[in-house]
Amino acid sequence: MGVYVSEKDVPSDELLRFYWIYKNFTITVTIIMVFFTIFVMVTSTTRNISKYRWYIVHSLLWSLFSDIMGYLVGPVLLFPFSCYFSVNSIIQTDLQKIVFLIVGVTAMLGKNISVMFQFEHLYVKSQSVVSVYQKWFGDVPVRIEVLARGAMLVVVFVGIEVPLIFALPNQPQQLKIYSNQDRVISYLAQKYPSMTCVSSTPNISKPMMPTFLLMNMIAIIFSAMLFHMHLSIRRNSLNVQTYRLQMMLFWSLAAQMAAMYLLIILPFIFGIAWILLGVARSPTLAVICFCFFFLHTSVNCLLVLYFIKPYRDFIKGHIPAFRRESGITRSVTPMASIMARPYPSKV
């Protein structure tokens, strides 16, 4: 038994083999789903949601980038020990370890921020025209908006990653220290040259507490904002078409946020809680959590295509199987006319 990691805590070879096959399968499905979804969105776009679609595209591209980095790294976290190794063999040198870590963090941050941008855009549009929030942010020119959001991305990236780079320990030196102290770590470092240490502190349980609280706060805040958004749409004096359009986009966003909560935030919270409680086999649980993470982007694509009616109608009208099932025999109605006519009560 090691000082920091026990043999029974290390995921079995069978689980790691499944993990490797699983992430290869999911990344293939994800790439297909993302580009198919973007194709449908670009091809079937309507004037009413022509701007919002770019928020979704932006989010999907960051999600795809994040999944690709997850696929390339294939991390196996040894929590609460402050190192991880990769099930892929492409990471060998110390420089590659740092580069893949920083790029992976960038992709993860970009994915989360892009979702926040998408959420914030719909939140603004749901507010009353006389609200302070709408007056300040409702009619910002596109160029200013793009520059502002780009600047926000840069600030977040620099603010988080620069301190991270300087905080990273010297990899050969730190691994040598840990290997001398723990025979399990020594064995893993020899078996997996990709072993990377993110801290010179062996146990990172205490530093994980703020992250645990932050993830719970994010879930609560976003749920409250969704509830307020729904109330705002219902209270606004909107015509039938605008009301149904906003409710359609609201339920699409709500479904996307639910998927993010169930497949990313909840497993993350559960994993951190597992670590904080000191329960054994945390690395095995971390692998299982990553299996949920890899599902998110594909599920997100399905939700976008289903809940946004013009995209759903486009698929029904162009794919023979859906066309036969729905009884559509005529040519597809142009998307502009779909948005022009009143929506049915359920969209």
Side-chain angles (χ1 to χ4, degrees), residues 3-5 78-84 169 174 177-178 181-182 185 197-208 275:
V3 176
Y4 303 126
V5 179
L78 298 175
F79 284 164
F81 185 61
S82 59
C83 295
Y84 68 90
Q174 196 63 51
I177 294 174
Y178 287 151
Q181 297 173 343
D182 190 308
I185 297 300
C197 297
V198 298
S199 173
S200 57
T201 302
N203 192 306
I204 57 173
S205 296
K206 290 183 178 179
M208 294 298 289
I275 294 170

Side-chain angles (χ1 to χ4, degrees), residues 30 33-34 37 60 296-306:
T30 296
M33 286 300 304
V34 167
T37 303
L60 291 180
H296 173 257
T297 303
S298 296
V299 172
N300 194 36
C301 290
L302 291 174
L303 294 174
V304 168
L305 294 175
Y306 176 78

Side-chain angles (χ1 to χ4, degrees), residues 160-213:
I160 293 179
E161 294 179 12
V162 170
L164 174 62
I165 293 173
F166 283 102
L168 288 174
N170 181 282
Q171 295 300 313
Q173 180 180 347
Q174 196 63 51
L175 278 175
K176 183 178 180 180
I177 294 174
Y178 287 151
S179 297
N180 291 335
Q181 297 173 343
D182 190 308
R183 63 182 183 84
V184 177
I185 297 300
S186 177
Y187 167 75
L188 291 175
Q190 293 177 11
K191 185 177 181 180
Y192 300 101
S194 59
M195 177 82 77
T196 305
C197 297
V198 298
S199 173
S200 57
T201 302
N203 192 306
I204 57 173
S205 296
K206 290 183 178 179
M208 294 298 289
M209 178 60 77
T211 306
F212 176 77
L213 297 176

Side-chain angles (χ1 to χ4, degrees), residues 4 42 76 148 184 228 239 266-267 314:
Y4 303 126
V42 173
V76 178
V184 177
H228 182 257
N239 60 48
L266 189 60
F314 180 87

Side-chain angles (χ1 to χ4, degrees), residues 204-225:
I204 57 173
S205 296
K206 290 183 178 179
M208 294 298 289
M209 178 60 77
T211 306
F212 176 77
L213 297 176
L214 177 63
M215 296 300 290
N216 281 277
M217 287 179 58
I218 289 175
I220 294 172
I221 291 172
F222 273 75
S223 298
M225 291 181 69

Side-chain angles (χ1 to χ4, degrees), residues 54 71 100 113 150 152 163 189-190 198 202 288-290:
W54 294 115
Y71 160 76
F100 273 89
I113 295 173
M152 289 175 61
Q190 293 177 11
V198 298
I288 297 173
C289 288
F290 267 95

Side-chain angles (χ1 to χ4, degrees), residues 55-295:
Y55 284 91
I56 303 178
V57 170
H58 180 242
S59 176
L60 291 180
L61 290 177
W62 272 112
S63 295
L64 178 60
F65 182 34
S66 178
D67 285 359
I68 289 175
M69 290 308 303
Y71 160 76
L72 293 175
V73 175
V76 178
L77 309 180
L78 298 175
F79 284 164
F81 185 61
S82 59
C83 295
Y84 68 90
F85 63 86
S86 171
V87 293
N88 286 340
S89 58
I90 59 174
I91 304 176
Q92 298 287 336
T93 67
D94 295 327
L95 178 60
Q96 288 176 335
K97 295 178 183 180
I98 303 302
V99 169
F100 273 89
L101 174 61
I102 298 303
V103 176
V105 171
T106 301
M108 181 181 64
L109 290 173
K111 173 176 180 173
N112 287 279
I113 295 173
S114 66
V115 172
M116 292 177 62
F117 287 166
Q118 179 187 346
F119 187 100
E120 188 269 344
H121 175 76
L122 275 191
Y123 184 82
V124 172
K125 297 303 180 183
S126 69
Q127 302 306 299
S128 169
V129 292
V130 297
S131 67
V132 176
Y133 203 84
Q134 182 71 263
K135 289 180 179 179
W136 276 88
F137 303 104
D139 295 315
V140 178
V142 175
R143 182 178 179 182
I144 300 299
E145 185 176 354
V146 171
L147 290 175
R149 295 189 188 280
M152 289 175 61
L153 280 172
V154 172
V155 169
V156 172
F157 291 157
V158 173
I160 293 179
E161 294 179 12
V162 170
L164 174 62
I165 293 173
F166 283 102
L168 288 174
N170 181 282
Q171 295 300 313
Q173 180 180 347
Q174 196 63 51
L175 278 175
K176 183 178 180 180
I177 294 174
Y178 287 151
S179 297
N180 291 335
Q181 297 173 343
D182 190 308
R183 63 182 183 84
V184 177
I185 297 300
S186 177
Y187 167 75
L188 291 175
Q190 293 177 11
K191 185 177 181 180
Y192 300 101
S194 59
M195 177 82 77
T196 305
C197 297
V198 298
S199 173
S200 57
T201 302
N203 192 306
I204 57 173
S205 296
K206 290 183 178 179
M208 294 298 289
M209 178 60 77
T211 306
F212 176 77
L213 297 176
L214 177 63
M215 296 300 290
N216 281 277
M217 287 179 58
I218 289 175
I220 294 172
I221 291 172
F222 273 75
S223 298
M225 291 181 69
L226 276 173
F227 179 73
H228 182 257
M229 186 187 303
H230 186 264
L231 288 180
S232 298
I233 295 174
R234 295 181 66 89
R235 289 173 179 174
N236 291 339
S237 300
L238 305 172
N239 60 48
V240 175
Q241 180 183 346
T242 303
Y243 173 79
R244 290 177 176 172
L245 173 64
Q246 289 203 3
M247 289 302 294
M248 176 189 70
L249 297 180
F250 167 79
W251 287 116
S252 170
L253 180 65
Q256 290 179 261
M257 297 306 298
M260 190 170 191
Y261 181 79
L262 292 174
L263 297 176
I264 295 181
I265 297 178
L266 189 60
F268 194 86
I269 291 175
F270 184 75
I272 296 179
W274 190 280
I275 294 170
L276 295 176
L277 292 174
V279 183
R281 299 187 182 278
S282 293
T284 298
L285 179 65
V287 170
I288 297 173
C289 288
F290 267 95
C291 290
F292 283 97
F293 297 164
F294 286 131
L295 286 175

